[in-house]
Amino acid sequence: MATSKITYNGGLRTTSVHERSGNEIITDAPIDNKGKGEAFSPTDLLATSLGNCMLTIVGIAAAEHGFNIDGTTCEITKIMAEGPRRVSEIIANFQFPENSYSDKNKLIIERSANTCPVFYSLHPDIKKTITFNY
């Protein structure tokens, strides 16, 4: 089964449908690339996927080790480069709720975050700046 089906709507906008759930994501070209910037751009989704994946993998590890990360947030900043136009850096700033995480918990969090599939799938030339705030 396909993962998703993408339709070009015109005006530099697409709609992606997740085949299994039917959930939809709309993308727009960014303002600095001839678009309206009214939705995530494809490169926004690429950068955001890193934070989503890291939080998911940390959530799995936390559950396996008996602690909770509910309420944790991750702010993503995407840096673009030219020649060719591409994502050159993704900055992920994690903010964990007050929970008195032990040094062991912090080690589990940081190791699991940095081993998520998206982290490994991104080209090594994309700089990944990760900050964990407890």
Side-chain angles (χ1 to χ4, degrees):
M1 173 184 232
T3 301
S4 61
K5 182 176 182 180
I6 305 164
T7 303
Y8 182 73
N9 302 324
L12 307 180
R13 178 171 284 184
T14 67
T15 300
S16 302
V17 178
H18 183 251
E19 290 291 316
R20 189 167 193 170
S21 68
N23 288 330
E24 293 185 0
I25 297 172
I26 294 172
T27 67
D28 246 345
I31 292 171
D32 67 348
N33 199 26
K34 304 178 183 169
K36 296 177 184 175
E38 294 176 346
F40 282 106
S41 72
T43 55
D44 290 342
L45 289 177
L46 173 79
T48 300
S49 291
L50 178 61
N52 289 329
C53 188
M54 293 174 106
L55 280 171
T56 300
I57 298 301
V58 171
I60 291 168
E64 288 175 351
H65 292 276
F67 63 95
N68 189 312
I69 64 157
D70 291 0
T72 300
T73 61
C74 179
E75 184 177 89
I76 296 291
T77 304
K78 172 193 73 175
I79 309 294
M80 296 295 290
E82 298 297 328
R85 185 173 169 82
R86 68 198 178 286
V87 176
S88 61
E89 181 178 4
I90 301 171
I91 302 167
N93 186 8
F94 289 87
Q95 186 64 53
F96 290 84
E98 288 188 34
N99 195 354
S100 299
Y101 294 102
S102 69
D103 288 342
K104 180 181 179 184
N105 292 155
K106 291 176 184 178
L107 185 63
I108 291 166
I109 287 168
E110 294 173 23
R111 282 188 178 164
S112 58
N114 289 315
T115 60
C116 84
V118 172
F119 189 96
Y120 284 135
S121 298
L122 291 170
H123 193 280
D125 288 351
I126 298 175
K127 182 178 179 185
K128 298 156 206 81
T129 305
I130 314 297
T131 306
F132 300 93
N133 300 294
Y134 298 99

